[in-house]
Amino acid sequence: MRNDILEHRILVENNILKGFKTDLIQAKKETDTNPSEGTKTAGNYKKGHIKFGGYEMVIENPKGSIRSGKDSDGNKWSIKMNNTYGYFLKTLGRDKDHIDVFINDKKDLDKFNGDIYIVDQVDKDGNFDEHKIMYGFDNKADAKKAYLSNYSKGWKMGKINSASKDVFDRWMKSSKRKIKPFSNYIDNMK
């Protein structure tokens, strides 16, 4: 373990440093930002963990890291992350993976009480693909801008909805697996 991570962990454990910002720094440092293709595919590379809002987030790509992969046609892609990206533990999305989340690194998510934005991401044909959660953004325009900044130019977004923390929590607990667009749920959740 790197000395700076160990030193930071000691400060946190001794309550010298505490809170969301400190926990986020630590979780980002613990994330392997250059995993091999094999470990990315298997999902077994080192990832940071952070708790906020009653959820535990696993960090796959810290802000500033490069996210890369292959699309469904086998074309390679890569993008510099403008927001920290990962997923919520104990969730299951349409793609049978955890539900993905982008967070606003500038906010203290321990104290955040604003709306949460849910993107009904679409595939290249415009059909619902999966949810992407935008957590800690001030308004829908900021959430949309942040979402698009983490994808290549021309990326199709899909519909974006806002939900209060209470509505978002009820949606997250409403079923084991989220298979329909959030826009189908929102009217019944208010």
Side-chain angles (χ1 to χ4, degrees):
M1 185 179 299
R2 295 190 333 233
N3 286 339
D4 58 335
I5 293 174
L6 182 59
E7 183 178 317
H8 187 269
R9 182 174 281 156
I10 290 168
L11 292 172
V12 170
E13 288 172 357
N14 290 312
N15 287 323
I16 296 167
L17 293 174
K18 58 183 175 180
F20 178 78
K21 296 278 186 182
T22 301
D23 294 345
L24 180 60
I25 291 167
Q26 180 68 25
K28 287 161 98 175
K29 285 181 179 179
E30 292 176 354
T31 304
D32 180 357
T33 58
N34 195 24
S36 70
E37 285 302 316
T39 57
K40 273 198 297 190
T41 300
N44 60 2
Y45 61 96
K46 180 74 173 136
K47 300 170 192 148
H49 293 246
I50 188 165
K51 292 180 181 180
F52 59 87
Y55 296 97
E56 184 173 356
M57 178 187 179
V58 176
I59 297 175
E60 294 178 295
N61 296 96
K63 180 180 179 179
S65 67
I66 302 296
R67 183 171 178 230
S68 63
K70 289 184 181 180
D71 65 19
S72 59
D73 295 326
N75 301 313
K76 290 184 178 183
W77 58 268
S78 69
I79 189 96
K80 182 178 178 182
M81 300 304 289
N82 292 303
N83 299 94
T84 295
Y85 174 79
Y87 56 84
F88 288 122
L89 273 179
K90 301 177 185 171
T91 63
L92 191 61
R94 184 173 188 269
D95 59 356
K96 298 182 183 174
D97 286 333
H98 297 282
I99 296 176
D100 299 325
V101 59
F102 290 95
I103 62 170
N104 183 348
D105 295 61
K106 296 177 184 174
K107 290 285 185 181
D108 181 345
L109 298 185
D110 282 337
K111 298 177 181 174
F112 181 74
N113 195 28
D115 281 351
I116 297 157
Y117 299 92
I118 302 91
V119 176
D120 290 338
Q121 184 170 285
V122 295
D123 62 20
K124 64 183 177 182
D125 297 323
N127 299 312
F128 173 62
D129 179 37
E130 64 178 315
H131 303 98
K132 298 288 185 184
I133 308 305
M134 306 302 293
Y135 204 107
F137 296 90
D138 290 330
N139 54 55
K140 190 181 281 190
D142 287 348
K144 179 179 180 179
K145 182 178 176 182
Y147 172 86
L148 290 171
S149 77
N150 291 288
Y151 291 93
S152 300
K153 188 173 182 163
W155 181 262
K156 292 181 183 180
M157 180 174 174
K159 189 171 182 177
I160 184 169
N161 291 281
S162 63
S164 68
K165 174 79 167 83
D166 179 59
V167 169
F168 180 75
D169 288 346
R170 284 189 281 145
W171 175 69
M172 290 288 274
K173 294 174 185 172
S174 68
S175 61
K176 182 175 179 179
R177 183 172 168 216
K178 306 294 179 233
I179 58 172
K180 297 178 184 176
F182 184 80
S183 54
N184 289 12
Y185 291 98
I186 192 67
D187 291 335
N188 296 326
M189 298 299 294
K190 292 181 181 176

